[in-house]
Each structure stands twice: as structure tokens, then as C-alpha cells.
Amino acid sequence: MSDGVRCMWMRGGTSKGGYFIADELPDNRDEFLLRMMGSPDIRQIDGMGGADPLASKVALVKKSNRRGIDVDYLFLQVAVDEPLVSDAQNCGNILAGVGPFAIERGLVDVGSIAGDHAAVTIYMENTGQIAIARVPLNNDLPVYSGSVSIDGVPGTSAAIPLEFKDTAGSSCGALLPTGDVVDTVESVEVTMIDNGMPVVVLRAADMGITGSESRDQLESNAALKAKLESIRLQCGPLMNLGDVENKTVPKMTMVSKPSNGGAISTRTFIPHRCHSSIGVLGAVSVATACLLPDSPANELAELPEGSKKNLAIEHPTGATGIEAVLDESGAIVSTAIVRTARKLFDGQVFG
């Protein structure tokens, strides 16, 4: 198409992509987004994509009609090397930019706020979850500069705490869709879990690796990737996700003992490429698996005492901190994470 569409490009957490007002996209939405990103092409040379799933993402945002909700957010993953636009999952990293974007676009009225933060309540359309983003303000506009660093992003930015509510079973219908903490698939013990993101958690050692390998080493391990995919395809129906051959969930996270003072170490395939870190909601699901007695993750995890647990989920480029609050029975009441975001440009993009 020759006409441009208004778009704000933002880094959210350890991802980046295009943020749109939902009803401003053309009727041929998916075709437009594929052209915009330059997909399918491993370089995405003819579009805005960064030749990596983490830089080929889209957020569609609109003012919400739901009681107590400020905005609705639909996440879309634009595949790099195939003509696919998927809404099968959430993205907690791109979520970090939704609050600032909504304020920038006037979807949230911050003029009456007396403090220096706006609490933006976000309904995540992909899975029906609710998140509250606390966005720092100055003169009624988001503040992006600050002193907080997150692993996987150079420099520092302003903190945007994200609190998640009612995440258990958002995609699979239950926290443990099979009803069991441990299942066995191809002689490998796994935990199939969904606390915001469907994830299959399994021991790295059971997959023939140490769990300390680099992303590139794992990407080049054809036998590992084939076995992971075979297990994933069998887990999909068991997790109430159906045939997942062409879906981006469940994610596959291999866990090992922590090496840098965290709770556990992870290597995650999302699902066919190894993540340079770990997704926000994926980290929430893995942290939850760590808290389940007798699970593969629990056996390897080093957990703090108390009902409020700060868990550092180690990954190839650092760690992602998850705060989990438990009730007297040990069930998780809420989870939260600190992310950052930065506006990169605001203008028109073409498909």
C-alpha cells in the first residue's frame, strides 16, 4: 500500500517492535504487517524487522470498554522466515511499552493524577489476563530515562513495574493442564505449566546438555533441537493447545542449577530458536515451576524463605527477577517484574 500508518517503534523490556492504535491498521492487517517487517526473509532486509523474533513484534492497543480497565492490548508475533502473524501468546516484554504508548496517544487521562506515576491497567487480549503497569511521569508524559538496568539491555532507563493478576491457566485452562506436576514424554520428565505463558520445563541434563551453553552452541545442536521439537509436539495436545506444529507455544525451557546466585538457570527455545534471555511471562511460569514440590525445577532451584520470594531466573545474558507472593497454603497470589521501555521513533510506517 502507498499510504503510511501511524506507528510508534519502542523497545519494551528485551524486545522491540511497532505499537499501533488497533483500528488504524488496514483491513489486510497481517499482509501489511508482514510487508512492514520484511517477512518472510531471514534478514528482513525489506522491512523494519531486526532479523530476530525478539525484534519482529507488534502491539495493538485501544481504549478499553471493560470495567476497571484502561486499555486492551493484543500482541502479535510476526515470524521472521515464514509468512506467519501469530496471536497465540502474550509478550510481557512488549507489554512494558503499552502503558507509555497509551499515555503518549492520549488513551489514558493522566491530567488528574497528583503523583509522579500512572497506574495503567491493561487487559491482555491474547489470554484474558490483567496487568498493572506503573509508568513514571513528568508533565503528564512518560519518563524513559532513569537509573534501572535490566539484563539484556545496555544502559539504564526508568523502571516500569508490571504486576500480573489471575495468570494461572490463561492459555491452557489450568496452571497444570495435565493435572500433574511431573509427566514423562519420551522418557524425559517434564512440567507442563501455564502461569501466563505455556512452558514445558525439563532438566538440561536430561537433554544431554549442561545448561551453561551459549545461545549459538544450542542453535547449532541439531539433535537437541529435533528432540525438543518432538517433545513439544507431543506436549501441545496434553496442554490443551491442540496441534502446535505451526504455533509459537509452548516454549521449551531447560533448567539447571544456578551459577550466579540466582534461583535457577535456564535455556529457552521460543520454540525453534534459542532465546537470548527469557520472556517475561515465560520467566513467571518457570519461577512458578520452581515453587512446585517434586518438579524438575524445584529439585534444582535455590529458593529463599518466606511468603514473598524474589527469584532471579538466570538466562544466557543475565537474569530476570520475579517477585512471587504466596498465601498460607503456598499458592501464588500475585507475581511482578520490573521492566523498562524506550520510545525509538514516532511517525508513519509502510507495508
Side-chain angles (χ1 to χ4, degrees):
M1 62 181 293
S2 59
D3 294 333
V5 175
R6 188 167 61 145
C7 174
M8 185 178 293
W9 218 262
M10 301 185 75
R11 176 188 61 78
T14 55
S15 297
K16 64 181 176 180
Y19 290 68
F20 296 87
I21 299 293
D23 61 7
E24 293 184 0
L25 280 170
D27 292 338
N28 61 336
R29 184 195 73 181
D30 289 3
E31 179 184 348
F32 172 84
L33 294 175
L34 288 165
R35 285 281 298 159
M36 177 196 77
M37 287 294 189
S39 298
D41 171 34
I42 59 171
R43 297 183 302 157
Q44 290 184 317
I45 194 64
D46 196 36
M48 297 294 296
D52 189 300
L54 303 183
S56 187
K57 299 185 173 186
V58 169
L60 305 187
V61 185
K62 62 185 178 183
K63 194 172 183 65
S64 183
N65 293 320
R66 295 177 171 86
R67 183 186 299 273
I69 304 295
D70 293 309
V71 294
D72 296 341
Y73 151 57
L74 178 69
F75 169 70
L76 298 174
Q77 178 71 61
V78 182
V80 173
D81 55 357
E82 56 182 323
L84 174 66
V85 177
S86 173
D87 64 359
Q89 66 179 75
N90 264 328
C91 180
N93 277 302
I94 290 296
L95 171 67
V98 171
F101 173 77
I103 294 170
E104 294 259 13
R105 286 288 188 262
L107 299 178
V108 178
D109 180 13
V110 297
S112 60
I113 294 176
D116 57 1
H117 283 74
V120 181
T121 304
I122 302 163
Y123 179 82
M124 295 179 276
E125 293 187 64
N126 302 76
T127 55
Q129 298 167 255
I130 295 172
I132 300 174
R134 302 193 181 278
V135 183
L137 297 175
N138 184 31
N139 294 325
D140 296 341
L141 288 174
V143 174
Y144 298 103
S145 60
S147 59
V148 172
S149 63
I150 60 173
D151 288 328
V153 178
T156 62
S157 303
I160 301 177
L162 301 172
E163 181 183 356
F164 300 100
K165 294 183 177 293
D166 301 324
T167 55
S170 55
S171 293
C172 300
L175 177 69
L176 298 171
T178 69
D180 297 315
V181 172
V182 182
D183 291 281
T184 301
V185 181
E186 292 194 9
S187 301
V188 175
E189 289 188 336
V190 304
T191 296
M192 301 180 226
I193 190 166
D194 173 19
N195 199 14
M197 178 66 70
V199 180
V200 178
V201 182
L202 58 169
R203 298 181 191 89
D206 290 345
M207 299 302 292
I209 66 171
T210 66
S212 62
E213 292 84 355
S214 70
R215 181 188 188 188
D216 289 343
Q217 286 175 313
L218 296 177
E219 288 270 12
S220 63
N221 190 334
L224 170 68
K225 292 169 71 174
K227 187 169 184 178
L228 276 175
E229 181 64 1
S230 178
I231 293 173
R232 192 181 78 90
L233 293 177
Q234 294 175 66
C235 288
L238 298 174
M239 298 180 75
N240 301 318
L241 297 170
D243 182 356
V244 298
E245 182 175 3
N246 295 313
K247 294 181 180 180
T248 56
V249 289
K251 311 302 187 187
M252 305 295 290
T253 295
M254 297 171 286
V255 295
S256 57
K257 284 186 174 295
S259 58
N260 292 301
I264 200 159
S265 179
T266 65
R267 295 295 186 268
T268 301
F269 276 76
I270 56 173
H272 303 127
R273 296 186 65 178
C274 186
H275 204 311
S276 61
S277 55
I278 188 171
V280 169
L281 293 166
V284 171
S285 287
V286 172
T288 305
C290 289
L291 300 173
L292 298 177
D294 301 322
S295 73
N298 180 261
E299 293 173 1
L300 295 166
E302 296 182 6
L303 302 174
E305 298 294 329
S307 60
K308 187 175 183 179
K309 299 183 184 297
N310 291 304
L311 308 178
I313 308 301
E314 296 178 2
H315 53 69
T317 54
T320 296
I322 302 293
E323 179 186 274
V325 178
L326 282 60
D327 63 18
E328 293 180 357
S329 70
I332 294 178
V333 176
S334 67
T335 53
I337 187 171
V338 173
R339 296 280 85 184
T340 66
R342 189 165 81 90
K343 180 169 66 171
L344 303 177
F345 81 69
D346 190 2
Q348 289 187 320
V349 69
F350 297 83

